[in-house]
């Protein structure tokens, strides 16, 4: 199996390479991309010897070209597209582990190339789901979710009639601040927000988990992945992160997917899909777990859930505005320019300010994404 890995030096990218490293199946890492973590990228190149490498900046590419003359290099936005379209089609899988809206365009090109995509970049479907879904049908390409929640739903639905679905139920750990009141959120710090209680993830998604925007984006992602109406997608607070999602059927039965919070498990499932491969992760010990707990996930306590659901239901460019505002606001929070609660304020302000009713295209989505971010950075940096 040939792998084309976008975002190789990030959390999901490194865990993907760890699965490859310990897999009995022969994976050939053909192409990798990274943004600015060049030392980590050098380590990956030395170990996996890809044929194509793309980085964020041209200057970094030129330095690498001198040290690795036998590798084909690219950089920037075009470098991501070149990575997913590199070489001829054989038995191929693109793993999109980029964070943010930058993941949309290479996903589109991978589909048009006829390559299946293992998707960790939820923004692809959040902002481009209305474009991606018909492309998948046209090019007969599979999109395999890596998000633990959506991987779980996909496995729960295996062999089931879509008409039998009553609800999809997405679980949420509650993030770093699940026990804090909204008043207490006024004074939390970046360091506090990055302390996720269960999962080891990148900074941006950890902040999204704390605001619950991550769960809101997952609602939109689930709508497009499984073609289930928004009013049939629910969320529930489940602090142990053992049940990753559930599906409720019309016969009142539920199927749940359980496992330890280890992202390498859904990554392994996506890489080997539709087979299940032996993977040496920590087994789930139900006796040790003892009990599981569930609580209502209040949209009053976590209003980002409500904003995201409404943006998804509005469709068109609304999810693009929501996502771009959130990406910019999280960046500002991580760099100390705004407070935690201002992330919500910025998202709401942008949803009111940007009302775009045009034909939905990838080019216009990316253009609007940039406009919204520029707007946020101008007023809050």
């Amino acid at each position: 199996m040939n792998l084309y890995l976008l975002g190789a030096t990030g959390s999901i990218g490194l865990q993907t390479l760890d699965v490859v490293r310990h897999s009995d199946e022969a994976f050939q890492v053909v192409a990798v991309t990274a943004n600015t973590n060049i030392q980590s990228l050098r380590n990956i190149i030395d170990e996996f010897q890809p044929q194509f490498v793309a980085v964020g900046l041209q200057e970094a590419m030129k330095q690498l070209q001198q040290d690795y003359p036998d590798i084909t290099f690219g950089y920037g936005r075009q470098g991501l597209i070149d990575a997913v379209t590199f070489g001829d089609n054989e038995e191929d899988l693109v793993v999109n582990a980029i964070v943010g809206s930058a993941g949309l365009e290479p996903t589109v090109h991978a589909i048009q190339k006829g390559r299946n995509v293992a998707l960790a970049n939820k923004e692809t479907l959040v902002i481009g789901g209305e474009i991606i879904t018909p492309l998948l049908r046209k090019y007969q390409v599979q999109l395999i979710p890596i998000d633990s929640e959506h991987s779980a739903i996909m496995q729960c639905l295996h062999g089931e009639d879509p008409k039998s679905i009553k609800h999809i139920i997405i679980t949420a750990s509650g993030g770093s601040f699940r026990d804090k009141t909204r008043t207490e959120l006024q004074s939390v710090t970046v360091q506090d927000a990055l302390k996720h209680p269960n999962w080891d993830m990148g900074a941006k998604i950890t902040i999204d988990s704390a605001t619950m925007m991550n769960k809101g984006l997952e609602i939109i992602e689930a709508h497009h992945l499984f073609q289930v109406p928004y009013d049939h997608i629910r969320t529930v607070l489940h602090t142990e992160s053992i049940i990753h999602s559930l599906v409720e059927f019309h016969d009142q039965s539920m199927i749940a997917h359980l496992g330890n919070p280890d992202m390498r498990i859904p990554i392994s499932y996506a890489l080997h899909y539709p087979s299940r491969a032996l993977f040496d992760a920590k087994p789930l010990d139900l006796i040790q777990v003892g009990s599981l707990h569930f609580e209502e996930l209040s949209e009053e306590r976590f209003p980002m859930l409500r904003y995201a659901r409404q943006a998804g239901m509005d469709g068109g460019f609304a999810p693009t505005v929501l996502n771009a505002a959130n990406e910019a606001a999280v960046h500002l929070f991580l760099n100390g320019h705004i407070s935690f609660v201002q992330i919500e304020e910025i998202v709401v302000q942008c949803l009111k300010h940007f009302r775009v009713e045009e034909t939905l295209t990838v080019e216009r989505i990316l253009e609007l994404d940039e406009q919204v971010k520029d707007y946020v950075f101008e007023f809050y940096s």
Side-chain angles (χ1 to χ4, degrees):
M1 171 77 78
N2 292 329
L3 291 185
Y4 303 76
L5 175 57
L6 309 185
T9 60
S11 175
I12 296 297
L14 291 173
Q15 291 182 82
T16 298
L17 292 172
D18 192 51
V19 171
V20 170
R21 189 179 290 119
H22 295 96
S23 175
D24 290 334
E25 184 174 338
F27 288 103
Q28 175 64 41
V29 181
V30 176
V32 296
T33 76
N35 189 13
T36 58
N37 192 343
I38 303 304
Q39 185 52 55
S40 178
L41 178 61
R42 285 180 180 275
N43 296 337
I44 292 168
I45 292 173
D46 292 339
E47 179 178 358
F48 293 95
Q49 301 183 351
Q51 300 168 36
F52 181 89
V53 174
V55 293
L57 300 174
Q58 186 179 27
E59 183 178 341
M61 180 194 72
K62 288 180 177 178
Q63 293 175 353
L64 288 167
Q65 280 177 320
Q66 294 177 0
D67 297 332
Y68 301 97
D70 295 331
I71 294 176
T72 303
F73 283 92
Y75 72 95
R77 183 174 163 183
Q78 185 60 46
L80 297 174
I81 297 171
D82 292 343
V84 300
T85 56
F86 182 79
D88 298 325
N89 282 6
E90 296 179 21
E91 190 182 5
D92 300 321
L93 180 66
V94 172
V95 179
N96 188 342
I98 290 177
V99 176
S101 56
L104 171 61
E105 197 169 34
T107 301
V108 169
H109 282 269
I111 294 170
Q112 291 173 334
K113 179 75 174 179
R115 287 177 171 159
N116 292 334
V117 178
L119 189 68
N121 174 261
K122 59 173 61 72
E123 291 84 357
T124 285
L125 287 172
V126 169
I127 65 178
E130 295 176 40
I131 293 171
I132 294 292
T133 301
L135 280 179
L136 293 172
R137 296 194 192 102
K138 179 178 179 180
Y139 290 94
Q140 296 294 297
V141 164
Q142 288 187 312
L143 201 63
I144 309 156
I146 284 181
D147 263 359
S148 61
E149 294 84 354
H150 302 81
S151 176
I153 295 165
M154 183 180 184
Q155 293 176 62
C156 291
L157 289 174
H158 186 69
E160 301 289 348
D161 183 349
K163 295 178 182 176
S164 66
I165 301 171
K166 185 176 181 181
H167 293 109
I168 281 177
I169 303 170
I170 304 173
T171 57
S173 67
S176 313
F177 303 138
R178 63 193 180 198
D179 298 322
K180 290 187 180 297
T181 65
R182 291 192 59 78
T183 301
E184 291 172 326
L185 293 178
Q186 299 285 340
S187 57
V188 298
T189 66
V190 172
Q191 289 69 32
D192 294 333
L194 290 176
K195 295 176 184 174
H196 195 285
N198 301 343
W199 293 94
D200 179 16
M201 305 183 293
K204 197 268 182 180
I205 192 171
T206 303
I207 302 303
D208 284 348
S209 293
T211 63
M212 210 54 71
M213 176 59 88
N214 185 52
K215 211 51 55 180
L217 298 179
E218 287 175 359
I219 291 172
I220 302 174
E221 183 183 8
H223 166 75
H224 290 294
L225 265 176
F226 305 111
Q227 299 295 297
V228 173
Y230 282 101
D231 58 354
H232 289 253
I233 302 173
R234 294 180 172 177
T235 55
V236 64
L237 186 63
H238 168 52
T239 56
E240 291 89 358
S241 296
I242 296 296
I243 294 181
H244 301 304
S245 276
L246 311 91
V247 177
E248 180 183 14
F249 296 92
H250 284 301
D251 64 359
Q252 313 307 330
S253 64
M254 282 189 181
I255 296 180
H257 178 276
L258 286 74
N260 282 318
D262 181 343
M263 280 306 301
R264 294 175 304 165
I265 298 173
I267 290 171
S268 177
Y269 183 76
L271 294 191
H272 296 93
Y273 180 82
S275 301
R276 289 186 187 274
L278 178 67
F279 184 64
D280 190 21
K282 180 184 176 183
L284 178 62
D285 186 336
L286 290 174
I287 304 302
Q288 187 176 39
V289 172
S291 58
L292 299 172
H293 301 84
F294 304 93
E295 299 175 36
E296 179 188 7
L297 196 55
S298 168
E299 293 190 357
E300 297 303 317
R301 166 63 181 82
F302 299 106
M304 288 290 219
L305 273 176
R306 186 170 69 251
Y307 307 146
R309 185 186 293 276
Q310 186 59 55
M313 294 173 69
D314 290 344
F317 290 97
T320 298
V321 174
L322 172 99
N323 183 70
N326 182 64
E327 281 188 25
V330 170
H331 176 84
L332 292 175
F333 172 67
L334 286 170
N335 287 279
H337 294 293
I338 63 171
S339 68
F340 181 78
V341 294
Q342 281 184 289
I343 298 174
E344 290 179 6
E345 296 173 10
I346 289 171
V347 169
V348 173
Q349 182 179 340
C350 288
L351 286 170
K352 292 178 179 175
H353 183 78
F354 290 92
R355 298 282 187 180
V356 182
E357 295 184 5
E358 300 174 19
T359 301
L360 197 69
T361 64
V362 172
E363 292 73 20
R364 187 67 185 101
I365 287 173
L366 297 177
E367 184 179 274
L368 179 60
D369 175 83
E370 190 172 338
Q371 288 173 348
V372 174
K373 290 174 179 172
D374 287 345
Y375 173 83
V376 174
F377 291 143
E378 180 179 352
F379 281 94
Y380 290 93
S381 291

